[in-house]
Amino acid sequence: VTPGNEWQCNCCNERVLATKQMHISTTPDTLLLTVKRFSCDISTVPPTYRKITTKVSFDLMLDFSNEHYSCNNAKYSLYGVIEHTGRALNSGHYIFYGKRGNKWYTYNDSHVEECNETYVLSRQPFILVYEKEKCEHCIDFTDEEINIIRDIRGELDDSIDLETYRIYYNTLDRR
């Protein structure tokens, strides 16, 4: 946050400089990232919405892996891009670029045609769709399997959620 755009503290109501931080506690199978493509000027009556046309680069692969996620696999492959064409928030057209196998396709209403990866990466995304890669060395336990393992190991602490156990059991050496 920059001066003139301070965050207002909920406790003391003072405006302060702050840093926004996000933590992903579990990784979903499908990850949707929305790119802010419209701005709102509330100083006008009625408010004015403008399309943001800044070029946004995006990658074919995302890797959120770290020590915490080492076996919870947090690697993603891009398999879809949704693009908004047009200048206004309340009008325009959406086009979907989707990957099937090793080929990319443009889905524009009822018209579908093959396109190349370079073309997809040149689009101006509104939504990016990523799919989690399958982990070769991890076992994806069901909730029932986690409860059986907890029971066998005598780990019946119900205050710990199943996802934490799933991450823990996936980090154990399985040799």
Side-chain angles (χ1 to χ4, degrees):
V1 178
T2 57
N5 188 25
E6 294 88 358
W7 175 75
Q8 186 169 351
C9 176
N10 294 334
C11 298
C12 66
N13 286 328
E14 290 202 32
R15 298 188 72 70
V16 295
L17 293 178
T19 301
K20 185 176 182 177
Q21 184 177 15
M22 185 172 57
H23 174 75
I24 300 172
S25 59
T26 59
T27 56
D29 290 338
T30 303
L31 180 67
L32 300 173
L33 300 177
T34 304
V35 179
K36 183 177 178 184
R37 282 289 176 203
F38 292 95
S39 65
C40 177
D41 182 356
I42 58 173
S43 67
T44 62
V45 178
T48 306
Y49 294 93
R50 288 192 166 70
K51 181 144 186 199
I52 298 170
T53 58
T54 305
K55 171 77 173 141
V56 174
S57 298
F58 53 99
D59 294 321
L60 291 170
M61 303 291 296
L62 295 179
D63 187 353
F64 295 114
S65 296
N66 60 33
E67 188 175 297
H68 179 72
Y69 293 122
S70 62
C71 282
N72 189 22
N73 190 29
K75 294 180 181 178
Y76 290 86
S77 297
L78 182 71
Y79 80 94
V81 175
I82 300 172
E83 180 180 42
H84 176 269
T85 60
R87 299 178 149 245
L89 177 64
N90 59 353
S91 67
H93 184 70
Y94 292 95
I95 300 171
F96 178 71
Y97 304 93
K99 188 173 185 180
R100 211 170 163 179
N102 291 325
K103 294 182 179 182
W104 283 93
Y105 296 90
T106 301
Y107 298 85
N108 188 350
D109 292 334
S110 62
H111 183 72
V112 178
E113 67 181 10
E114 190 175 334
C115 62
N116 65 45
E117 191 173 271
T118 304
Y119 181 75
V120 173
L121 291 172
S122 73
R123 308 321 307 152
Q124 288 304 296
F126 177 59
I127 297 175
L128 297 167
V129 185
Y130 287 89
E131 180 178 42
K132 185 189 285 189
E133 289 186 352
K134 300 298 179 209
C135 184
E136 295 174 10
H137 65 280
C138 295
I139 299 171
D140 200 11
F141 294 110
T142 66
D143 290 352
E144 183 180 348
E145 290 168 329
I146 293 290
N147 283 325
I148 291 169
I149 294 169
R150 286 172 58 189
D151 188 37
I152 292 169
R153 294 175 56 100
E155 297 168 340
L156 301 174
D157 186 350
D158 290 329
S159 67
I160 301 175
D161 64 278
L162 293 177
E163 187 60 30
T164 301
Y165 277 109
R166 184 174 287 109
I167 293 167
Y168 169 71
Y169 293 140
N170 275 326
T171 61
L172 298 176
D173 188 3
R174 300 203 183 323
R175 294 178 224 206

